[in-house]
Amino acid sequence: MSVDDVLELLQKRMSDGSFIRATISQPRAKSSEVKRIKLKPLELKGLFHIQFEYQKERILTHENIPLDAIVSPLQQALEQYKQFHIELTNETMQIQISKKMKVSIKRIFLDTEKTADYAHNRVKKYALKEGVPYPFLIRLGVQTPDGKVKNQKHDKFRQINRFVELIDDTLSHLPKDRTIRILDFGSGKSYLTFALYHYLRIEKGLDIRVTGLDLKKEVIEECQTIANDLHYEQLEFLVGDINDYTGDTAVDMVVTLHACDTATDMALAKAVKWGASVILSVPCCQHELFTQVHAPALDIMLQHGLVKERLAALATDSIRAELLTLAGYEAQLVEFIDMEHTPKNILIRAYRNDKKPSQAQIDRYVEFRTMLHATPYLEKELHALLPFIQHEI
């Protein structure tokens, strides 16, 4: 079988409905940003697509490609990657493509034919289902008493479900033999705090204790009233500042959503110092680096205020993720759906692994930070935990 044969086979199987999923890995170029590509079928607006999920070192992005345009991206993948694992309804295939483009293939035919579940992709299967009344969503004004999502609340419903998906991904990283301690800094109106509690406590039956913290006294009082009325006994809301909170010495999960500017860094630093197993953070209003950035090589970009603002925000989140990595976490920047329809849709997801950084990782971080002429707040906060970093630039 040749590479062209593989291309023809994949195109045919994607078209006849027998394609279930594929994983493409082992890039030929060591410099390749995309380390792995996952493919799955998807139906959008009545048309079949293949979703490409590009997995970079710490970022996931998606592209939905119609079947009639699939040949070119598949051909590029066959040219640029060595290994393909393909699941079909009646077989699995493991394909290796050598440096000289020689194809070797291992095929395992199944005794029982699977079903390609395109229906799964026609209607989004939310963890919280439309039409099912959830008491907390009704009280928060997202649903009507019969479970219908209110017209003006569909964006919030999607955001809540996206957040629940992310929470579900964290389950394997949380303790199973004791109460799970969770803190939500800057909880605000607490749509997502209630969703987190409902999913982990009600849906999954986990032993959890959750605290939502915010500076707005009236909002906190209202949230606590709702929690009491719903008999969410292990959910509390407190008035307080992220930096001043001293109510715990160890926490399993820290959530911070839309904490402004360095308030996000305060929460991240608290999480690391507590040894939190899971950190989920959506930053907001990032001004710190905007006033610090001085990189003549980037002046073509930095001369434009709008571009400088966005670059500073992206650099801030990249620095945060890198510092978490240096502090013993597996950190990624992932897409998140934002209620206000702003570009602020990056979520920092970090799982503690206690892995020691290499000197190359340390040098890479210092070089990047020095290039920007930045003195990140989070680096200063983690100074005692990162003694191997030269903190003066």
Side-chain angles (χ1 to χ4, degrees):
M1 179 178 285
S2 67
V3 172
D4 289 340
D5 293 331
V6 175
L7 176 61
E8 184 179 349
L9 175 62
L10 287 175
Q11 186 184 10
K12 178 180 178 182
R13 290 306 187 94
M14 288 176 177
S15 300
D16 68 15
S18 61
F19 175 75
I20 296 177
R21 67 179 63 86
T23 300
I24 303 171
S25 58
Q26 296 186 10
R28 296 184 182 281
K30 292 182 179 180
S31 59
S32 175
E33 282 190 311
V34 179
K35 307 303 180 185
R36 184 179 290 103
I37 306 172
K38 290 188 175 182
L39 311 182
K40 70 175 182 179
L42 185 73
E43 185 178 343
L44 297 171
K45 298 180 180 180
L47 297 175
F48 286 109
H49 295 66
I50 300 297
Q51 183 180 88
F52 281 58
E53 179 185 271
Y54 302 102
Q55 299 185 2
K56 300 181 182 180
E57 188 172 356
R58 294 188 182 90
I59 300 176
L60 298 177
T61 58
H62 299 84
E63 182 180 15
N64 299 321
I65 300 175
L67 280 179
D68 59 7
I70 203 68
V71 172
S72 179
L74 281 179
Q75 191 166 27
Q76 287 182 13
L78 289 167
E79 292 171 354
Q80 297 172 7
Y81 293 82
K82 302 176 187 176
Q83 182 167 291
F84 297 74
H85 178 79
I86 301 161
E87 294 184 37
L88 306 169
T89 54
N90 62 342
E91 68 172 308
T92 61
M93 295 191 297
Q94 189 75 23
I95 298 173
Q96 288 283 149
I97 303 178
S98 71
K99 187 176 182 179
K100 295 182 178 181
M101 305 305 287
K102 182 179 179 181
V103 175
S104 62
I105 181 169
K106 181 180 180 181
R107 307 176 75 165
I108 301 175
F109 292 92
L110 307 177
D111 295 330
T112 304
E113 188 164 321
K114 298 179 183 178
T115 300
D117 189 12
Y118 279 81
H120 171 82
N121 298 301
R122 292 183 186 130
V123 178
K124 178 68 175 177
K125 279 191 174 181
Y126 290 128
L128 304 180
K129 299 174 177 61
E130 293 192 59
V132 176
Y134 297 97
F136 79 97
L137 289 179
I138 295 170
R139 282 297 303 270
L140 293 171
V142 176
Q143 286 184 321
T144 61
D146 61 356
K148 182 179 178 181
V149 178
K150 295 181 179 180
N151 289 335
Q152 69 273 28
K153 298 295 184 179
H154 278 285
D155 287 340
K156 288 184 180 179
F157 185 72
R158 283 193 291 271
Q159 188 206 38
I160 288 167
N161 266 289
R162 172 60 175 149
F163 183 66
V164 169
E165 288 178 9
L166 292 165
I167 292 296
D168 186 70
D169 290 341
T170 71
L171 294 181
S172 63
H173 299 272
L174 296 173
K176 300 173 177 61
D177 56 350
R178 58 175 173 79
T179 300
I180 301 168
R181 186 72 178 102
I182 302 173
L183 283 179
D184 183 353
F185 286 122
S187 55
K189 294 182 180 179
S190 301
Y191 294 102
L192 304 183
T193 319
F194 279 105
L196 180 153
Y197 186 90
H198 170 86
Y199 186 71
L200 293 181
R201 180 70 175 172
I202 310 301
E203 301 270 344
K204 294 297 183 180
L206 299 180
D207 180 11
I208 63 173
R209 186 162 69 90
V210 181
T211 297
L213 188 74
D214 200 275
L215 287 170
K216 299 172 184 172
K217 185 174 183 290
E218 298 79 7
V219 173
I220 286 296
E221 289 176 348
E222 175 63 19
C223 290
Q224 188 61 62
T225 297
I226 295 173
N228 293 341
D229 291 346
L230 295 175
H231 303 290
Y232 285 1
E233 297 176 357
Q234 293 292 91
L235 173 60
E236 65 175 353
F237 292 91
L238 303 175
V239 177
D241 180 81
I242 291 173
N243 206 34
D244 296 332
Y245 182 79
T246 57
D248 289 90
T249 57
V251 174
D252 299 301
M253 178 190 294
V254 171
V255 177
T256 168
L257 303 171
H258 301 114
C260 284
D261 202 21
T262 55
T264 292
D265 300 291
M266 295 175 191
L268 294 177
K270 287 273 190 182
V272 173
K273 292 172 184 177
W274 279 324
S277 299
V278 176
I279 301 172
L280 298 175
S281 176
V282 177
C284 180
C285 306
Q286 305 181 67
H287 303 306
E288 184 193 19
L289 258 61
F290 183 84
T291 59
Q292 295 180 10
V293 170
H294 174 68
L298 300 178
D299 278 351
I300 288 177
M301 299 177 69
L302 299 179
Q303 67 180 320
H304 305 289
L306 175 63
V307 174
K308 181 180 179 182
E309 181 181 8
R310 293 184 180 177
L311 183 145
L314 291 171
T316 299
D317 287 336
S318 299
I319 284 173
R320 286 166 172 160
E322 199 66 18
L323 284 168
L324 290 174
T325 299
L326 297 177
Y329 283 80
E330 177 190 345
Q332 290 181 325
L333 303 180
V334 300
E335 293 174 315
F336 186 63
I337 301 169
D338 190 89
M339 281 194 231
E340 289 88 20
H341 304 292
T342 74
K344 303 165 187 172
N345 65 341
I346 289 178
L347 180 139
I348 302 170
R349 177 174 65 189
Y351 301 133
R352 184 180 174 187
N353 60 12
D354 292 323
K355 187 176 179 180
K356 302 297 182 184
S358 67
Q359 189 59 49
Q361 287 177 299
I362 297 168
D363 293 343
R364 182 178 68 168
Y365 167 74
V366 172
E367 183 179 358
F368 180 73
R369 178 256 275 150
T370 303
M371 177 192 71
L372 296 179
H373 200 75
T375 55
Y377 183 94
L378 182 58
E379 182 187 321
K380 291 182 285 186
E381 284 294 296
L382 296 178
H383 176 85
L385 299 177
L386 303 173
F388 43 76
I389 292 180
Q390 175 61 46
H391 294 278
E392 298 295 331
I393 67 171

